[in-house]
Amino acid sequence: MNDLRQLRHFVALAEHGHFARAAEAVNLSQPALSRSIQALESSLGCSLLDRGPRQITLTAHGRLVLEHARRLLDGRRALHSAVAQLENLDSGELRLGAGPYPAARLVPRVLGRFAGAHPGVQVQLRIEDWHGLRNQLLGDAIELFVADVREFEGDPLLDITPLRRHAGTLFCRPGHPLLRRPRLRVEDLAAYPLAGTQLPAEVARTLGALNDKAQPLGIECNNFMVLKALVADSEVISMAPWDVLAEDVAAGRLAVLLPVDNQAARSAYGIVSHAGRSLSPAARAMVEYLLEEDDQPITGY
């Protein structure tokens, strides 16, 4: 337990870069924090810090220890959470990840229902691309995530529950010049910048065929709310699964430019967890909510 406490002190010092601020964050005196760090360095047999007059920096050993310390502390937190939740869902925590598109509609809807039913469970949501989420899952920083899963096919480390697929749709702002064309041709799209999230390889090939570019995206951003605001306020066009566009199109905030009638352009959401590892009660409940919401009809289908 003392080692974990020292690791927690070291992580705080690395994050704050200053003994006084780190000591305040972990509720210690500065001399006590310094002794804790020295004890950790002594037990590991290496120097973790370069101590400057105003701030500290990590040595190569320090950077390595920081990476493992965070993983160990995340694992300890997950253990305490699982034990607290073993009998009920009145307490504990759920660390959940989501890709940009599930985070735009599916996950927020489910989180609202989950929080209403289990207000004692603390939920942490991390939004990232699918590669980053896989790394966080395997590093035990999150327990499960919802994202595009087409590049995880055959991954022995993952359990994947596929969700409903949604048609890919090119969209733009209402009043975009392309909407005034009596007959829109695919080659007309190349005159306008295309924005989107990080693309799976087969989606990139599909979009590249539309605008005849090896790299189809002129703007890449993994925050879909930013993408929507960008499209709504410029000549930029974008493509997204229909489920995250339906409400904005129905409300007149965005306009459909062209459905992409291609299997590769469809969404491929899935619920992803560690293969062979049982989920906590909170995670199991979240999976049930996700599957229930996934069955709900979408406007325009």
Side-chain angles (χ1 to χ4, degrees):
M1 186 64 71
N2 284 339
D3 288 345
L4 284 176
R5 188 175 296 115
Q6 290 167 358
L7 290 175
R8 184 167 65 87
H9 297 163
F10 174 64
V11 169
L13 182 57
E15 291 176 345
H16 289 275
H18 190 278
F19 271 94
R21 289 192 293 269
E24 184 179 357
V26 297
N27 198 28
L28 281 180
S29 68
Q30 190 169 331
L33 176 62
S34 182
R35 287 194 297 272
S36 178
I37 301 300
Q38 289 169 359
L40 178 61
E41 289 179 315
S42 177
S43 68
L44 293 173
C46 62
S47 176
L48 302 177
L49 307 172
D50 287 325
R51 295 164 171 82
R54 298 197 175 186
Q55 65 178 14
I56 60 94
T57 57
L58 300 184
T59 64
H61 286 101
R63 291 191 294 273
L64 178 65
V65 170
L66 177 62
E67 178 184 345
H68 287 274
R70 283 173 168 157
R71 190 174 302 153
L72 286 169
L73 293 172
D74 280 337
R76 179 178 182 272
R77 188 162 54 246
L79 172 62
H80 279 269
S81 177
V83 171
Q85 295 176 34
L86 189 58
E87 298 299 329
N88 55 56
L89 281 171
D90 293 335
S91 62
E93 69 174 10
L94 171 63
R95 287 169 291 131
L96 172 70
Y101 294 129
R105 191 196 70 89
L106 175 62
V107 171
R109 286 173 180 252
V110 170
L111 274 181
R113 293 175 58 201
F114 181 92
H118 309 293
V121 177
Q122 181 185 17
V123 180
Q124 298 178 14
L125 174 63
R126 304 186 182 190
I127 302 173
E128 201 172 329
D129 64 78
W130 66 93
H131 287 304
L133 291 171
R134 180 185 182 277
N135 290 338
Q136 291 197 42
L137 178 76
L138 298 182
D140 291 324
I142 56 178
E143 189 173 2
L144 75 160
F145 67 86
V146 187
D148 192 296
V149 297
R150 71 190 86 206
E151 296 202 0
F152 297 149
E153 184 176 353
D155 191 327
L157 300 177
L158 305 178
D159 273 337
I160 300 173
T161 302
L163 298 175
R164 183 159 46 132
R165 295 177 74 102
H166 304 282
T169 306
L170 282 162
F171 66 99
C172 61
R173 66 174 179 85
H176 194 285
L178 285 174
L179 294 174
R180 295 196 292 269
R181 293 180 180 268
R183 187 171 180 272
L184 185 63
R185 301 170 303 170
V186 170
E187 52 266 31
D188 295 332
L189 303 176
Y192 295 90
L194 180 65
T197 63
Q198 183 180 11
L199 300 174
E202 63 176 333
V203 178
R205 286 193 294 270
T206 298
L207 286 180
L210 292 179
N211 61 11
D212 197 27
K213 295 178 181 178
Q215 169 51 265
L217 296 181
I219 301 172
E220 183 177 299
C221 172
N222 281 330
N223 186 320
F224 185 60
M225 300 304 292
V226 172
L227 283 176
K228 285 202 301 184
L230 170 65
V231 171
D233 199 39
S234 72
E235 304 298 290
V236 172
I237 60 177
S238 186
M239 188 181 82
W242 176 248
D243 65 309
V244 299
L245 297 175
E247 291 184 359
D248 287 292
V249 171
R253 293 186 290 268
L254 295 171
V256 172
L257 192 58
L258 188 70
V260 182
D261 188 18
N262 185 302
Q263 188 68 16
R266 298 177 71 85
S267 69
Y269 306 157
I271 304 171
V272 185
S273 60
H274 267 288
R277 184 178 297 185
S278 59
L279 294 174
S280 68
R284 291 199 303 270
M286 176 59 68
V287 169
E288 291 177 7
Y289 281 119
L290 286 165
L291 293 174
E292 289 174 6
E293 183 62 35
D294 190 54
D295 281 337
Q296 299 303 308
I298 306 292
T299 303
Y301 271 47

